[in-house]
C-alpha cells in the first residue's frame, strides 16, 4: 500500500509500505479521508519526541471496513486505544488510561496511508447520508467537545459568554461544541487575517484579530497553548470563571497565578476525549448540530508534503486540510 511517511524534521515521503498486520479484535479500514492535526505538525517540525521517524502520522480518520463480518461498513475512527479494564477506563475516563495508545504514535502506525488497523470498539458507524469527509472531523471536534463539557460542568451550566483562542480546527470545533451545548455568545480570536476572513465569511463565526481588553468571559478556551495565549486567557476570564486548556503549543508560562488564586479562577487541562465524548461528537455531526462542516480543504495524500509545507507557511485559509488516498472508497 501507499503511505505518507515522516522521515525527519520537515521531511515526508510518499512511498510503498507493508499493509498493517490485522490482530484479533481489530478491523482493517480503507481510508477515505484523514486530517492533518496540529500534533502532526509538531512531529513534522521535529518538536515531538513521542513520534520518532520513520513513522506514519495521522489520526483523524474515516473510511470503510474491509473484510470480516462488518465488511463495507462506513465508519469514523476513535484513534485512542485503551485497555478497558483499569480504574480510569472503568470510571469512564478512558482518555486517562495509563496504557493508552494512539495511532500515529509508536507502536501504532497512523492514518496517512491507504489502510489502518484499529480495534472494533474504536469504530463508530457513519450513516449513509453523511459524507466521510465530514465524519473525519469527529476526532478534532471531540477534543473541543470534551473541554466544553468539563468546563460547563465546573460552571454548573452558568455560562453565557465564551472566548476561544485560536481559529484552527480545534478552536473552531470548540466554538461549534459550545453552541451545540447551549452557549449562545461565542467569540473566536484568530490573528491570521486569511484564516480570520474564512471563519467569518464561510463559517459564520464571530471572530476578532485580538482579544477584547474590556470584556470578561465566563469561559475561555485556549486551543493554541502558548504562553501568550495563556496570558490572554488569564486576563479575559471573569472572577469565578474557567479556563479550558486544549493547546499543546509550549510547556510553560503565561498563567497569572496570583489573579487566578485571588479570583478563584479554575484552570482545566484537557487531553483528547473519552469514548463517550467521541460518540456524542459523532452523533452531533450526524444530527447536524455542528453545522454544515464545509470548512475543509481536501488534497491527495500523494501531495501531503506540499500540504504540510503550506500549513507551515500560513497560506491555508481552511481550518482543516484533509488528505485523501488514491484508493479512497469515496471520492470527495
Amino acid at each position: 500500500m501507499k503511505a505518507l511517511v515522516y522521515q525527519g524534521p520537515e521531511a515526508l515521503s510518499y512511498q510503498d509500505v507493508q499493509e498493517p498486520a490485522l490482530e484479533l479484535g481489530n478491523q482493517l479500514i480503507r481510508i477515505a479521508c484523514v486530517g492533518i492535526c496540529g500534533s502532526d505538525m509538531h512531529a513534522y517540525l521535529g518538536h515531538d519526541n513521542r513520534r520518532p521517524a520513520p513513522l506514519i502520522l495521522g489520526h483523524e480518520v474515516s473510511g470503510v471496513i474491509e473484510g470480516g463480518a462488518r465488511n463495507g461498513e462506513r465508519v469514523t475512527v476513535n484513534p485512542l486505544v485503551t485497555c478497558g479494564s483499569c480504574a480510569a477506563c472503568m470510571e469512564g475516563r478512558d482518555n486517562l488510561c495509563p496504557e493508552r495508545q494512539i495511532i500515529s504514535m509508536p507502536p501504532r502506525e497512523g492514518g496517512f496511508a491507504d489502510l489502518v488497523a484499529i480495534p472494533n470498539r474504536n469504530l463508530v458507524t457513519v450513516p449513509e447520508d453523511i459524507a466521510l469527509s465530514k465524519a473525519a472531523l469527529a476526532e478534532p471536534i471531540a477534543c473541543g467537545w470534551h473541554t466544553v463539557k468539563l468546563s460547563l460542568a465546573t460552571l454548573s451550566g452558568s455560562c453565557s459568554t465564551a472566548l476561544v483562542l485560536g481559529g484552527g480546527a480545534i478552536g473552531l470545533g470548540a466554538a461549534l461544541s459550545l453552541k451545540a451545548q447551549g452557549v449562545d455568545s461565542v467569540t473566536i480570536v484568530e490573528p491570521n487575517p486569511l484564516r480570520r476572513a474564512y471563519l467569518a465569511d464561510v463559517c459564520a463565526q464571530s471572530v476578532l484579530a485580538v482579544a477584547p481588553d474590556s470584556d470578561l468571559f465566563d469561559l475561555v478556551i485556549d486551543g493554541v497553548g502558548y504562553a501568550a495565549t495563556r496570558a490572554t486567557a488569564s486576563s479575559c476570564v471573569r472572577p469565578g470563571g474557567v479556563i479550558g486548556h486544549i493547546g499543546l503549543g509550549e510547556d510553560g508560562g503565561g498563567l497569572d497565578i496570583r489573579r487566578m488564586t485571588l479570583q478563584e479562577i479554575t484552570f482545566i487541562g484537557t487531553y483528547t476525549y473519552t469514548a463517550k465524548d467521541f460518540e456524542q461528537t459523532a452523533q452531533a455531526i450526524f444530527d447536524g448540530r455542528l453545522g454544515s462542516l464545509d470548512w475543509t480543504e481536501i488534497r491527495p495524500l500523494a501531495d501531503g508534503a506540499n500540504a504540510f509545507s503550506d500549513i507551515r507557511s500560513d497560506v491555508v485559509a481552511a481550518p482543516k486540510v484533509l488528505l485523501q488516498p488514491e484508493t479512497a472508497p469515496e471520492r470527495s
Side-chain angles (χ1 to χ4, degrees):
M1 70 173 187
K2 291 289 189 179
L4 185 69
V5 182
Y6 167 62
Q7 300 289 3
E10 300 191 49
L12 296 163
S13 64
Y14 184 65
Q15 64 186 67
D16 290 310
V17 299
Q18 287 189 337
E19 292 189 3
L22 193 59
E23 300 176 358
L24 184 65
N26 281 11
Q27 294 285 357
L28 200 61
I29 309 302
R30 176 71 61 180
I31 293 172
C33 286
V34 52
I36 298 177
C37 176
S39 62
D40 296 319
M41 287 301 300
H42 291 160
Y44 168 74
L45 295 172
H47 297 165
D48 189 349
N49 58 16
R50 301 174 304 167
R51 291 178 165 92
L55 182 67
I56 302 173
L57 301 170
H59 57 270
E60 302 174 357
V61 175
S62 67
V64 175
I65 296 175
E66 192 162 285
R70 299 175 67 181
N71 181 59
E73 187 176 326
R74 304 166 77 249
V75 294
T76 184
V77 173
N78 176 350
L80 198 66
V81 181
T82 57
C83 74
S85 58
C86 68
C89 286
M90 297 302 289
E91 292 170 2
R93 304 186 73 188
D94 42 294
N95 60 317
L96 301 181
C97 171
E99 303 300 321
R100 69 185 182 234
Q101 299 175 349
I102 191 167
I103 63 172
S104 79
M105 194 180 295
R108 294 183 175 273
E109 298 280 7
F112 290 146
D114 292 337
L115 297 163
V116 71
I118 197 77
N120 260 303
R121 66 179 183 274
N122 285 65
L123 303 175
V124 176
T125 303
V126 177
E128 290 295 331
D129 63 337
I130 301 298
L132 288 176
S133 56
K134 295 182 180 181
L137 297 174
E139 197 284 335
I141 296 177
C143 294
W145 186 277
H146 176 66
T147 303
V148 169
K149 192 164 77 169
L150 290 181
S151 299
L152 293 183
T154 302
L155 288 164
S156 302
S158 178
C159 181
S160 59
T161 61
L163 184 70
V164 178
L165 306 179
I170 295 297
L172 178 56
L176 296 174
S177 297
L178 281 159
K179 293 179 181 178
Q181 294 186 47
V183 180
D184 294 328
S185 178
V186 180
T187 303
I188 299 174
V189 175
E190 172 52 58
N192 183 316
L194 188 66
R195 175 70 54 76
R196 188 166 64 251
Y198 190 99
L199 290 169
D201 298 340
V202 178
C203 305
Q205 296 296 306
S206 173
V207 58
L208 301 172
V210 296
D213 59 7
S214 57
D215 297 339
L216 293 180
F217 296 82
D218 300 322
L219 170 60
V220 180
I221 293 181
D222 185 350
V224 183
Y226 280 92
T229 54
R230 284 188 288 270
T232 299
S234 294
S235 64
C236 287
V237 66
R238 68 161 169 81
V242 170
I243 297 170
H245 195 271
I246 316 174
L248 289 171
E250 61 186 7
D251 292 344
L255 287 177
D256 185 343
I257 298 300
R258 181 174 178 82
R259 177 170 189 258
M260 292 173 66
T261 300
L262 293 176
Q263 299 191 347
E264 297 190 357
I265 293 165
T266 301
F267 177 93
I268 302 176
T270 63
Y271 177 72
T272 63
Y273 35 77
T274 67
K276 184 175 182 180
D277 293 326
F278 188 90
E279 292 164 4
Q280 289 176 343
T281 304
Q283 191 60 53
I285 289 174
F286 306 155
D287 294 343
R289 286 180 286 138
L290 294 171
S292 60
L293 301 179
D294 57 355
W295 35 266
T296 60
E297 179 182 332
I298 299 176
R299 301 192 187 187
L301 180 64
D303 191 43
N306 287 329
F308 270 81
S309 178
D310 287 348
I311 293 171
R312 165 74 162 139
S313 300
D314 281 335
V315 296
V316 178
K320 177 61 62 179
V321 173
L322 300 175
L323 300 180
Q324 188 166 63
E326 291 182 5
T327 62
E330 296 179 13
R331 307 302 296 179
S332 298

